């Protein structure tokens, strides 16, 4: 039974501990094994959200790495256009990048916001944003498997399952909406109207909640904590990894799987790159995303880590 209380205007939900599976072995075969351990049958038409990688980025996880689990699930790889300049901010350029990186060669691929209008997901009690705009094709899917490369991020502090649910599923205009805290949908005002950092973080959590609500229980999450750069796979010129690889984590709870990754980062006290990575996360209030998502009932920060 869920219980609620009030703290700083957010409703806090507490339930049983989520289960997070963890393996230090990182391989395509292990990813599939970890997904299977979740024991979750994703029904109907399955969307598989991952990061396709900005052109020039050296850290993103390639199609060959994800192929066993994607083939097993039999889903469609889905992406959305970006809101910043690069090789993925228009449908034409993004499709070329998807082809160049091999995604279209191996899998069915759906650019969710290739054509408008966007799918609007209401946030009636939103503290920062009142609507989330996602690629309209998201409505074509019954289930969502989120495959995340866990790493740092130059705007959100870190990127994992919650970022994939929020910024990742948001359309071009949806990304601008989140970054601006609802001030604009105009890509030309992306930087001029960037919200205060905590508003941006809280908007991400609110957007993530809408996607979780949309799919209900038809969700599963796998995070790969490797190639641990402080920069995202959206950076054409990213810093090389500063920390050693940690492993694979899998859960049915996006908050728990991200929290577990963060906890393993903090536990890696003998890694010389840990301080640099943590500075990136903390300077941008990255953990506040987890706090807010948990407060909204997206998942639980309390988890049981099952190490294999």
């Amino acid at each position: 039974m869920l219980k609620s209380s009030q703290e700083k205007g957010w409703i806090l939900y507490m339930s049983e501990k989520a289960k997070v599976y963890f393996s230090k072995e990182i391989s395509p075969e292990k990813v599939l094994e970890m997904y299977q351990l979740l024991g979750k049958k994703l029904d109907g038409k399955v969307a598989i959200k991952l990061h396709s990688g900005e052109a020039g980025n050296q850290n993103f996880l390639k199609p060959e790495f994800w192929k066993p689990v994607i083939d097993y699930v039999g889903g469609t790889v889905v992406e959305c256009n970006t809101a910043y300049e690069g090789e993925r901010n228009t449908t034409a350029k993004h499709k070329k990048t998807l082809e160049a990186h091999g995604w279209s060669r191996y899998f069915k691929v759906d650019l969710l916001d290739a054509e408008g209008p966007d799918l609007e997901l209401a946030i009636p009690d939103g503290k920062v944003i009142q609507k989330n705009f996602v690629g309209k094709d998201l409505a074509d899917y019954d289930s969502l498997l989120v495959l995340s490369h866990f790493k740092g991020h130059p705007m959100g502090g870190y990127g994992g399952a919650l970022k994939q649910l929020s910024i990742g599923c948001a359309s071009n205009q949806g990304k601008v909406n989140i970054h601006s805290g609802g001030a604009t949908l105009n890509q030309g005002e992306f930087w001029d109207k960037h919200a205060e950092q905590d508003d941006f973080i809280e908007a991400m959590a609110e957007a993530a909640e809408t996607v979780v609500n949309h799919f209900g229980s038809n969700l599963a999450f796998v995070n790969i904590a490797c190639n641990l750069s402080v920069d995202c796979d959206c950076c054409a010129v990213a810093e090389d990894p500063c920390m050693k690889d940690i492993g694979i984590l899998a859960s049915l709870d996006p908050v728990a799987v991200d929290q577990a990754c963060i906890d393993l980062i903090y536990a890696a006290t003998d890694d010389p790159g840990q301080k640099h990575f943590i500075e990136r996360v903390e300077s941008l209030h990255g953990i506040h995303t987890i706090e807010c998502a948990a407060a909204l009932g997206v998942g639980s920060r309390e988890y049981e880590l099952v190490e294999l």
Side-chain angles (χ1 to χ4, degrees):
M1 186 72 178
L2 296 177
K3 301 177 181 179
S4 65
S5 63
Q6 287 291 123
E7 182 178 301
K8 297 181 180 178
W10 295 93
I11 298 176
L12 301 184
Y13 291 94
M14 294 164 286
S15 61
E16 294 181 2
K17 287 185 178 181
K19 187 169 288 186
V20 179
Y21 294 97
F22 170 55
S23 173
K24 293 178 182 178
E25 178 188 335
I26 300 176
S27 69
E29 296 74 23
K30 200 68 177 180
V31 173
L32 174 56
E33 180 186 335
M34 298 287 281
Y35 167 74
Q36 291 171 328
L37 280 173
L38 295 176
K40 177 66 180 178
K41 174 69 169 66
L42 294 175
D43 296 324
K45 191 175 179 182
V46 183
I48 300 176
K49 180 65 184 77
L50 47 71
H51 200 303
S52 58
E54 183 61 42
N57 184 275
Q58 76 276 32
N59 297 322
F60 77 96
L61 297 174
K62 309 300 189 290
E64 294 83 0
F65 179 80
W66 293 119
K67 193 172 188 304
V69 71
I70 293 174
D71 286 349
Y72 178 83
V73 172
T76 300
V77 169
V78 301
E79 263 282 35
C80 283
N81 291 322
T82 63
Y84 53 84
E85 292 299 321
E87 296 305 312
R88 299 185 305 136
N89 67 322
T90 69
T91 294
K93 288 193 292 183
H94 202 162
K95 284 183 175 179
K96 287 182 179 179
T97 302
L98 287 164
E99 291 171 4
H101 286 171
W103 300 105
S104 305
R105 182 167 67 251
Y106 288 111
F107 314 115
K108 292 183 293 183
V109 175
D110 186 356
L111 196 53
L112 297 176
D113 63 337
E115 297 178 358
D118 292 338
L119 172 64
E120 296 184 18
L121 302 177
I123 311 174
D125 299 318
K127 180 182 175 184
V128 180
I129 56 175
Q130 283 67 55
K131 290 182 180 179
N132 184 29
F133 300 87
V134 299
K136 69 176 179 59
D137 288 359
L138 198 71
D140 296 337
Y141 297 91
D142 304 295
S143 300
L144 181 65
L145 171 60
V146 179
L147 303 176
S148 303
H149 172 208
F150 182 90
K151 67 285 181 191
H153 194 279
M155 299 184 79
Y158 86 92
L162 291 170
K163 179 179 174 291
Q164 288 272 39
L165 288 169
S166 56
I167 295 292
C169 290
S171 67
N172 178 291
Q173 288 189 322
K175 289 177 173 63
V176 175
N177 178 56
I178 294 168
H179 277 280
S180 70
T184 183
L185 299 179
N186 183 355
Q187 186 178 350
E189 297 177 329
F190 181 71
W191 297 108
D192 292 341
K193 293 193 175 181
H194 196 285
E196 293 293 325
Q197 184 64 14
D198 280 359
D199 285 343
F200 161 55
I201 292 292
E202 291 168 12
M204 276 206 295
E206 290 177 338
E209 181 192 21
T210 68
V211 177
V212 168
N213 288 345
H214 179 77
F215 285 103
S217 62
N218 295 319
L219 289 155
F221 305 90
V222 179
N223 281 8
I224 315 295
C226 73
N227 299 349
L228 287 162
S229 169
V230 297
D231 286 331
C232 181
D233 297 341
C234 55
C235 300
V237 180
E239 274 195 26
D240 287 332
C242 63
M243 291 186 67
K244 296 176 183 176
D245 293 350
I246 289 176
I248 303 173
L249 296 94
S251 182
L252 299 179
D253 185 319
V255 174
V257 77
D258 277 8
Q259 182 68 64
C261 285
I262 289 290
D263 289 344
L264 289 169
I265 292 289
Y266 275 86
T269 54
D270 59 344
D271 192 313
Q274 182 209 41
K275 181 179 179 181
H276 183 47
F277 194 96
I278 289 176
E279 282 175 348
R280 172 58 58 88
V281 175
E282 292 184 349
S283 66
L284 294 167
H285 307 174
I287 297 170
H288 192 45
T289 311
I290 297 173
E291 294 172 342
C292 294
L296 289 168
V298 174
S300 173
R301 298 182 74 184
E302 298 295 321
Y303 62 90
E304 174 191 356
L305 191 67
V306 180
E307 186 169 355
L308 305 179

